[in-house]
Amino acid sequence: ISNPTKANKIVTALTGSPEARMARKNEPQWTEAAKKDMGLAPATTLDKAAFDKARSAPEITKPYEAVGGISRLTPDEQTITAIEGLRTPALIGGEASERAVSGLIDSTVKNLNAGLSGSQALVNIRNLRQSAQTIYNAQRKGITAPSPESIALADASMAIANQLEELAAQQLTGTQARAFQNARTLLAKTYDYERSTDFNTGRIDPTKL
């Protein structure tokens, strides 16, 4: 482009455009940057074990231990309203999704009102995210596509997990609160990276990221 000589035009015709060559060269860099961001070694293959390892880093696990020490999470009106707002309208053909999401919301609100300890909240957060991630991974692989009901349930599960974390964060102060917010960000990154990974190649897809 900058020096369109006859020789350069021939080389470009044979090897592709400079932009295409740069894109191919840059493609692995997204994956390497993600590994570095998650504290994984460069030689690590991005698979389920790798993401589990990233989530077991002390920067993530230690702050969450503080949440486990909370005797009871007291739900405020804002939290309940946010969770209730996740209900999906009963559109034609979407009745199954509406029932699945409503059932999950009803169960969440019931448990919160009954009294949920910090340790119980952590177990629920982990289970909600793992269940959702399993569905997202199946959707990405495209072998056995999840049903619309499953996708709606996964989205609601992730949103409820986030609300439970918000509720826990409100009951921490000072250094613990700051460490927990940082841990939440680091943990969220691992899920974004996982959802952007092509497990056939072990590489991050920047368009999904």
Side-chain angles (χ1 to χ4, degrees), residues 32-154:
E32 298 312 308
K35 291 178 186 178
K36 183 177 180 180
D37 198 23
M38 291 187 286
L40 298 173
T44 302
T45 298
L46 287 186
D47 54 17
K48 184 180 183 302
F51 289 107
D52 288 343
K53 181 179 180 180
R55 291 172 192 139
S56 67
E59 296 86 351
I60 294 177
T61 58
K62 291 295 183 183
Y64 273 84
E65 289 176 4
V67 174
I70 299 174
S71 59
R72 176 169 177 163
L73 296 179
T74 305
D76 56 5
E77 184 178 349
Q78 183 178 354
T79 300
I80 298 298
T81 299
I83 293 174
E84 289 284 358
L86 297 173
R87 295 185 188 276
T88 57
L91 301 175
I92 296 175
E95 294 85 358
S97 296
E98 189 272 337
R99 287 194 299 270
V101 172
S102 290
L104 181 61
I105 290 172
D106 291 342
S107 177
T108 301
V109 173
K110 179 182 177 181
N111 278 276
L112 279 173
N113 288 332
L116 202 64
S117 68
S119 59
Q120 290 172 326
L122 289 181
V123 172
N124 280 283
I125 290 169
R126 183 167 57 251
N127 289 343
L128 286 166
R129 286 201 169 123
Q130 287 179 344
S131 297
Q133 201 64 39
T134 298
I135 294 171
Y136 291 143
N137 288 343
Q139 181 187 36
R140 186 169 58 254
K141 291 177 182 178
I143 300 173
T144 304
S147 65
E149 175 187 349
S150 296
I151 297 299
L153 198 58

